[in-house]
């Protein structure tokens, strides 16, 4: 990327401005890539690399970064409690912004440190024990699978639903699995290991018919695909800040519906979510805040709030169109222009994630060659998505993922690096 394409002050450009083709701008659908790049920080501009790792941790805007650093500065200047008090309204607004993005009331939102922390708090609060059964989709992320496997050691049964021959969730198999009593269904909207998008609403419909609580891992979808808890019909959802939401690391969101909330008691209540009301008594908060701890990184939360607002302003549908179009283009060009490429995404994958391997080359080596060509991607080993990758015979894959600041020049760079 040419750093001269960035404005000297990224904050001057607040919104993507559609540019004409004559200006030489990279325009893909309704997203104006040049304007999105101008909203990045000076640091990102200076690095002049092709960042293709939104699914790992995306680049935040300069406005998001500034919300974080300004609050840290205020804490240092007047004290953490005093800074927290002065930002109270903006901190409260983060719950509203998170709820608006996923179609939930603010009271059903808990702010946590990561998707894993949210998942763990929700599942722990279900108090599963011997005789309980969990139905899990194959795309379950490693941290969640490990928690389920640990529960298995305590007498919980974990049934992993088969995928069909195309590598998609087999809804008939899921329906059959849900015909037996189950305490929980866990599914993933978009996995860590491919561009596939699970039919979350169809899964939700089956779960609701069976009366089984549905916990959706939307870590790789919120911010890049429309994700509405009402339309999906999930009872709980987790996501992280740093990926497609472009928020700072160390932020995450847990949504729990009112109905499920009544049945969940956190294993470790905290002063944030409970009132110590008597010698041997306490009352849990009547909201998802019962899953929070009192101490929290206010600066990061304020950054999350800005990122949530910006995602809504840009429009998740426009983001989805942009990233899925770039993904489709990259897949097509990899197959056409790079010898030996095998796309690892199941057919019909429609997210901003592309996975592939090159025959006869370790994914790690492919990733290194890409890095040498200025393209930052990651390798996902099978151990990060074993239930999904092992049956497909994949030991590891190279993953490239797009956001609004990516354009066709990034794809040119990938192809050039792999052909070099
Ligand atoms: C699908 C999926 N779920 C959950 C996680 C865990 O997110 P976090 O690291 O925020 O806990 C990841 C991380 O890559 C993921 O890809």
């Amino acid at each position: 990327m040419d750093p001269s394409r960035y404005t000297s002050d990224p904050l001057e450009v607040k919104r993507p401005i559609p540019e004409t083709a004559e200006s030489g701008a990279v325009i893909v659908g309704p997203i104006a890539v040049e304007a999105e790049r101008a909203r990045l920080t000076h640091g990102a501009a200076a690095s002049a690399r092709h960042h293709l790792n939104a699914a790992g941790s995306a680049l935040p805007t300069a406005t998001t970064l500034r919300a974080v650093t300004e609050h840290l500065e205020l804490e240092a200047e007047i004290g953490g409690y005093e800074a927290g008090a002065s930002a109270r309204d903006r901190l409260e607004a983060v719950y509203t912004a998170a709820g608006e993005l996923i179609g939930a009331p603010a009271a059903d939102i808990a702010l946590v440190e990561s998707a894993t922390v949210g998942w763990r708090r929700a599942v722990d609060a279900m108090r599963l024990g011997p005789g309980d059964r969990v139905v899990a989709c194959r795309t379950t992320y490693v941290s969640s699978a490990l928690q389920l496997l640990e529960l298995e050691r305590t007498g919980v049964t974990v049934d992993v639903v088969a995928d069909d021959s195309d590598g998609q969730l087999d809804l008939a198999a899921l329906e059959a699995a849900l015909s037996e009593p189950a305490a929980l269904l866990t599914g993933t909207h978009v996995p860590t290991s491919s561009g596939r998008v699970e039919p979350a609403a169809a899964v939700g419909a089956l779960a609701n018919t069976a009366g089984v609580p549905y916990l959706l891992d939307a870590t790789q979808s919120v911010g890049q695909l429309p994700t509405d808890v009402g339309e999906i019909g999930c009872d709980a959802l987790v996501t992280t800040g740093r990926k497609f939401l472009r928020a700072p690391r160390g932020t995450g969101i847990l949504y729990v519906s009112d109905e499920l909330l009544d049945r969940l008691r956190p294993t470790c209540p905290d002063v944030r979510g409970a009132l110590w009301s008597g010698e041997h008594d306490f009352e849990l908060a009547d909201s998802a805040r019962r899953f929070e701890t009192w101490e929290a990184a206010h600066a990061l939360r304020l950054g999350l709030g800005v990122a949530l607002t910006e995602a809504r302003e840009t429009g998740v549908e426009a983001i989805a169109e942009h990233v899925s179009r770039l993904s489709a283009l990259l897949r097509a060009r990899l197959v056409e222009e790079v010898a030996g490429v095998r796309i690892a995404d199941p057919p019909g994958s429609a997210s901003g994630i592309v996975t592939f391997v090159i025959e006869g080359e370790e994914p790690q080596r492919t990733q290194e060659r890409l890095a040498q060509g200025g393209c930052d991607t990651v390798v996902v080993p099978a151990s990060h998505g074993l239930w999904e990758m092992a049956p497909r015979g994949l030991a590891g894959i190279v993953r490239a993922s797009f956001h609004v600041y990516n354009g066709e020049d990034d794809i040119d760079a990938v192809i050039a690096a792999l052909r070099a």
Side-chain angles (χ1 to χ4, degrees), residues 403-415:
H403 218 305
V404 288
Y405 43 75
N406 291 119
E408 295 185 21
D409 54 342
D410 294 316
I411 297 179
D412 293 341
V414 168
I415 302 297

Side-chain angles (χ1 to χ4, degrees), residues 55-56 113-117 139 141 143-144 188 190-192 217 219-220 238-243 251 399:
E113 295 84 347
S114 68
T116 301
V117 168
T139 45
Y141 182 69
S143 314
S144 313
T188 311
V190 172
T192 200
D217 176 353
T219 305
Q220 293 287 11
V238 292
T239 192
T240 205
R242 71 184 182 280
K243 298 181 187 290
T251 55
R399 185 182 72 193

Side-chain angles (χ1 to χ4, degrees), residues 4-5 12 18 32 51 55 68 83 90-91 134 149 174 210 227 233-234 237 259 284 336 341 349 370 378 381-382 390:
S4 67
R5 289 190 321 210
E12 277 172 8
H51 194 265
V68 176
R90 282 190 297 134
L91 285 164
V134 177
L149 294 176
L174 177 63
T227 308
C234 58
L237 174 149
E259 297 73 37
L284 286 172
E336 276 166 29
V341 161
S349 292
L370 283 164
V378 293

Side-chain angles (χ1 to χ4, degrees), residues 95-146:
Y95 296 84
T96 312
E100 282 172 351
L101 196 72
I102 62 167
D108 292 356
I109 301 290
L111 298 179
V112 289
E113 295 84 347
S114 68
T116 301
V117 168
W119 207 92
R120 192 170 292 163
R121 295 225 178 113
V123 173
D124 284 349
M126 289 175 183
R127 313 290 181 121
L128 302 173
D132 283 329
R133 178 170 169 265
V134 177
V135 176
C137 297
R138 290 224 149 254
T139 45
T140 302
Y141 182 69
V142 48
S143 314
S144 313
L146 294 177

Side-chain angles (χ1 to χ4, degrees), residues 23-288:
S23 72
V26 185
I27 300 172
V28 186
I31 300 288
V33 174
E34 293 300 315
E36 291 295 347
R37 287 178 181 168
R39 301 171 76 211
L40 297 173
T41 62
H42 291 292
S47 77
R49 291 185 66 82
H50 300 270
H51 194 265
L52 295 153
N53 191 17
S57 189
L59 305 179
T61 64
T63 319
T64 294
L65 175 66
R66 202 173 54 179
V68 176
T69 54
E70 279 184 356
H71 191 77
L72 288 174
E73 278 164 17
L74 190 63
E75 286 183 347
E77 205 179 304
I78 65 169
Y81 288 15
E82 293 73 14
S86 80
R88 187 174 294 129
D89 290 350
R90 282 190 297 134
L91 285 164
E92 280 305 309
V94 182
Y95 296 84
T96 312
E100 282 172 351
L101 196 72
I102 62 167
D108 292 356
I109 301 290
L111 298 179
V112 289
E113 295 84 347
S114 68
T116 301
V117 168
W119 207 92
R120 192 170 292 163
R121 295 225 178 113
V123 173
D124 284 349
M126 289 175 183
R127 313 290 181 121
L128 302 173
D132 283 329
R133 178 170 169 265
V134 177
V135 176
C137 297
R138 290 224 149 254
T139 45
T140 302
Y141 182 69
V142 48
S143 314
S144 313
L146 294 177
Q147 189 174 352
L148 291 178
L149 294 176
E150 184 58 32
L151 282 170
E152 218 172 25
R153 296 165 72 101
T154 68
V156 173
T157 304
V158 178
D159 284 339
V160 187
V161 184
D163 281 340
D164 67 18
S165 55
D166 275 346
Q168 299 286 358
L169 178 67
D170 186 336
L171 286 170
L174 177 63
E175 189 170 14
L178 292 175
S179 64
E180 303 288 324
L184 172 66
L185 165 66
T186 69
T188 311
H189 202 180
V190 172
T192 200
S193 49
S194 85
R196 107 191 209 182
V197 182
E198 303 259 88
V203 174
L206 291 177
N208 291 336
T209 305
V212 177
Y214 174 27
L215 166 57
L216 178 65
D217 176 353
T219 305
Q220 293 287 11
S221 58
V222 173
Q224 73 147 322
L225 297 177
T227 308
D228 184 294
V229 293
E231 282 167 20
I232 290 172
C234 58
D235 302 282
L237 174 149
V238 292
T239 192
T240 205
R242 71 184 182 280
K243 298 181 187 290
F244 289 94
L245 278 175
R246 304 175 68 191
R249 295 192 71 171
T251 55
I253 295 167
L254 165 65
Y255 153 80
V256 178
S257 71
D258 293 345
E259 297 73 37
L260 188 60
L261 188 77
D262 287 344
R263 292 157 50 194
L264 301 191
R265 292 189 66 85
T267 49
C268 298
D270 178 273
V271 58
R272 169 76 172 163
L275 176 70
W276 193 3
S277 51
E279 183 85 2
H280 287 275
D281 254 338
F282 66 91
E283 287 156 33
L284 286 172
D286 193 22
S287 74

